[in-house]
Amino acid sequence: MRRHVRTTLILVFLFASLGAAAHVGEHPSVHDTVAGIVERLKKSFPTEELAGLTLDQVYGVLTPEEKDTLATQHIVFRVNTAVTVYVIRDVRLSKEPFWLQERGFEATEMKVTAGNRAYDVWRKGFEPGDIGLGVNSLTGAGEHYFVAIKPAQPGAPVELKDIYPGGHTVGTLEKGALPYADDDDVTVLELPAELDGAVLLRGIDDASKDAQLVNLFRITQYPATAKPDHIVLTWSDDPKTTQTIQWRTSANVGKGAVAFLKKADWNTVKPKKPNIVAAETTLLETPNIVNDPVVNRHAAVLMGLEPATTYVYSVGDGTDEGWNEYQEFATAPEGVEPFSFVYMGDAQNGLERWGTLVQNAYKSRPDAAFYIMAGDLVNRGAERDDWDSLFENAKGVYDRRQLVPVLGNHEYQGGEPKLYLKQFKLPENGPKEVTPEKAYAFAYSNALFVVLDSNLSPESQAAWLEDQLANSKATWKFVVYHHPAYASAPNRDNAGVRTVWGALFDKYHVDLALQGHDHAYLRTYPMKDQKRVASPAEGTIYIVSVSGTKFYEQGQNDYAEVGLTNISLYHTLDIQIAGDRLVYRAFDIDGNLKDNFTIEK
């Protein structure tokens, strides 16, 4: 980050930057306070009313002690001199946080722009000593605030000590500064002269929901029962010889198992006895789902399967009466065989409508071997009711065809993509520096598929990506990730993806980059070295797509060969061996062809 020395000689001791995380004395815990309020709310309101609680209702039940904790203990630090503290707040928060006015902060006319957000500014003077600031909001809305600090006496040195929590860092507020300690993509674009050069106490944007009490409780439309449901096929090992199956039940079903055998041995007058594999069962607790807070997730990996073979399977609890109806799956071919797959961008919103699209895709192309979803499978990745809706609407498809999921930014809601990782069992062959299952690779017939996590730094996966591409003899190379290298929507850019990963796509000739995020369909010309080239033989085609009902405007981009807006699509890719041909088609929900092209090797 850029730093410079002002003539005011504001000296800042960067204890937080150096790892100091001392708490200033003994303070009430915001976390414990919120947990106590949550439990009291559950007892104070009927279950069916919890999901609709308003800000006024929640604020009205807080005790004076709870209000004080929420107003003063979220960020705590010590100053050596009298200062003016400026809280720079997301303007969308309106009446929040409640403590600004209650504690005498003055609303100013000043405005700050950071990233694509507008912020207003509230200020208050403090004497030397401890300063405590409150939570970002009770609704969980808005980007987190960040803080500017100036000495009351111009030119006086300011020392910040004992900053709590320890993740906060300190810098200088200026154009180009990073206002958040946990987000390198947001920079300050505009700020008033009064704040230019002030001490910057960076916010932690992931802490914006630390005190969420409104819109916290959820009611799933699809509570679990003793009968297995939400069955999803994935791969966590070799697609030729293994199959991973996961499902859920209510928590009182304490174990799971899979019965399976070849379809040829089942579809006879005297079917053979199936093989039985025990599942790994884990408790999935989502306390905010008030009508179904605890379920069991079951996952089993079938090993030693034969390539290019169709199997039938049933999941259950292992008892004679506990099995569900048989479904089927097929293993990948041993050698080079023609195959097809379906690719989709963000489902995210309108999952019932998306369900119609994915069901229509299956009916139209039952021969497609598997389905790729390029991130943002759901809108609220930390809320299980969204996942319940996704799996419910995918019934009859993802229990018959393997799902290849990718992490989008919405899976990271609230920090880590915990529900994504708990509900999918995926290959663990990704970069050592990255949490297992966030990035992975697999081969299918004559194609290599590399799945990346574009929420992380491109550099963290670059060496591994190069190793996958360099050591593959596959005819076709596909890379799948969420944030597009070439944006479709205006004012969105992912330069790191384009420069770091794009250079490797160029070097090892990736055929297609399958992406999401921008909610407006885009197919680029073949691109190499960030320039248009004459044919797919010379460069990579980048695709951005959306399968849900949330749409964005589209920018005017000279790299775009085809652009479409306000349309949900699924895409079929046929890998034809005769002539080494790839046939790509994009269809709308009614099966109308919207785009197509062919690549021949």
Side-chain angles (χ1 to χ4, degrees), residues 216-234:
L216 174 67
F217 301 105
R218 314 293 305 178
I219 295 177
T220 179
Q221 298 180 55
Y222 310 106
T225 67
K227 183 180 179 180
D229 69 353
H230 295 178
I231 305 164
V232 177
L233 303 173
T234 62

Side-chain angles (χ1 to χ4, degrees), residues 25 75 156 248 305 328 360 381 385 428 448 495 523 533 540 542:
I75 303 175
R248 71 162 189 178
L305 305 178
E328 64 180 55
N360 288 351
D385 58 315
E428 298 185 8
L448 171 70
R523 171 165 63 88
V533 292
T540 299
Y542 296 79

Side-chain angles (χ1 to χ4, degrees), residues 11 64 81 100 190 210 261 269 277 348 475 553 572 578 588 592:
L11 304 177
T81 188
L100 283 174
E190 299 292 339
D210 280 5
L261 72 164
V269 176
V277 172
Q348 189 179 341
T475 303
E553 295 179 0
T572 61
D588 67 13
N592 299 308

Side-chain angles (χ1 to χ4, degrees), residues 72-356:
T72 63
Q73 301 303 314
H74 184 56
I75 303 175
V76 181
F77 56 95
R78 182 176 296 144
V79 295
N80 65 313
T81 188
V83 296
T84 300
V85 172
Y86 302 82
V87 174
I88 303 169
R89 180 198 73 156
D90 188 334
V91 296
R92 297 174 299 170
L93 287 176
S94 183
K95 297 180 180 179
E96 294 193 272
F98 69 88
W99 50 270
L100 283 174
Q101 293 190 53
E102 292 188 5
R103 293 184 58 194
F105 278 80
E106 171 197 4
T108 74
E109 296 297 320
M110 292 185 284
K111 302 294 181 184
V112 174
T113 303
N116 61 352
R117 297 298 183 200
Y119 297 77
D120 55 19
V121 181
W122 298 66
R123 68 186 169 202
K124 180 180 178 181
F126 287 86
E127 294 301 314
D130 295 346
I131 296 175
L133 302 177
V135 298
N136 189 65
S137 69
L138 299 182
T139 61
E143 307 296 333
H144 202 287
Y145 64 82
F146 49 100
V147 181
I149 303 164
K150 294 183 66 175
Q153 181 180 350
V158 176
E159 300 176 8
L160 267 61
K161 295 183 178 181
D162 298 329
I163 302 171
Y164 177 88
H168 291 277
T169 58
V170 180
T172 301
L173 184 56
E174 59 188 341
K175 288 185 179 180
L178 299 173
Y180 295 110
D182 58 342
D183 192 341
D184 293 338
D185 294 329
V186 177
T187 59
V188 175
L189 302 178
E190 299 292 339
L191 76 162
E194 182 176 335
L195 298 182
D196 194 21
V199 175
L200 168 64
L201 178 58
R202 297 186 181 93
I204 297 178
D205 203 31
D206 278 349
S208 60
K209 297 181 182 296
D210 280 5
Q212 183 177 356
L213 293 166
V214 180
N215 302 320
L216 174 67
F217 301 105
R218 314 293 305 178
I219 295 177
T220 179
Q221 298 180 55
Y222 310 106
T225 67
K227 183 180 179 180
D229 69 353
H230 295 178
I231 305 164
V232 177
L233 303 173
T234 62
W235 287 305
S236 57
D237 209 320
D238 188 346
K240 296 190 296 293
T241 59
T242 72
Q243 179 61 64
T244 301
I245 306 169
Q246 46 256 299
W247 69 98
R248 71 162 189 178
T249 63
S250 55
N252 60 345
V253 180
K255 62 180 181 178
V258 176
F260 72 99
L261 72 164
K262 294 181 191 177
K263 187 175 182 179
D265 293 334
W266 177 73
N267 195 19
T268 64
V269 176
K270 293 183 179 181
K272 291 186 177 180
K273 186 177 181 179
N275 303 290
I276 307 294
V277 172
E280 178 183 353
T281 297
T282 57
L283 200 66
L284 181 60
E285 298 184 74
T286 49
N288 296 342
I289 305 293
V290 290
N291 65 327
D292 191 32
V294 182
V295 301
N296 267 334
R297 295 289 305 183
H298 311 273
V301 181
L302 313 185
M303 308 292 289
L305 305 178
E306 295 182 15
T309 302
T310 299
Y311 288 83
V312 295
Y313 76 96
S314 177
V315 301
D317 61 7
T319 66
D320 291 342
E321 304 299 325
W323 301 103
N324 74 334
E325 62 277 5
Y326 274 97
Q327 298 289 5
E328 64 180 55
F329 65 84
T331 52
E334 175 68 45
V336 176
E337 298 289 343
F339 73 98
S340 304
F341 67 94
V342 172
Y343 145 64
M344 291 177 286
D346 306 30
Q348 189 179 341
N349 299 87
L351 291 174
E352 291 78 12
R353 180 71 170 170
W354 169 83
T356 301

Side-chain angles (χ1 to χ4, degrees), residues 342 344 355-368 371 397 570-572 589:
V342 172
M344 291 177 286
T356 301
L357 181 139
V358 75
Q359 298 290 341
N360 288 351
Y362 178 75
K363 292 174 184 176
S364 174
R365 292 299 304 271
D367 60 312
Y371 285 65
V397 182
Y570 68 89
H571 315 271
T572 61
I589 194 169

Side-chain angles (χ1 to χ4, degrees), residues 183 185-186 409 453-459 481-503 505 515-519 522 530 542-544 552 559:
D183 192 341
D185 294 329
V186 177
N409 53 295
D453 184 356
S454 58
N455 299 279
L456 308 177
S457 70
E459 291 81 4
Y481 52 90
H482 186 62
H483 299 80
Y486 293 90
S488 175
N491 303 315
R492 292 162 75 98
D493 187 32
N494 305 289
V497 172
R498 185 171 58 255
T499 56
V500 177
W501 291 348
F505 299 171
Q515 312 157 117
H517 190 57
D518 277 0
H519 295 259
L522 171 75
Q530 302 188 40
Y542 296 79
I543 298 171
V544 178
Y552 291 167
Y559 48 73

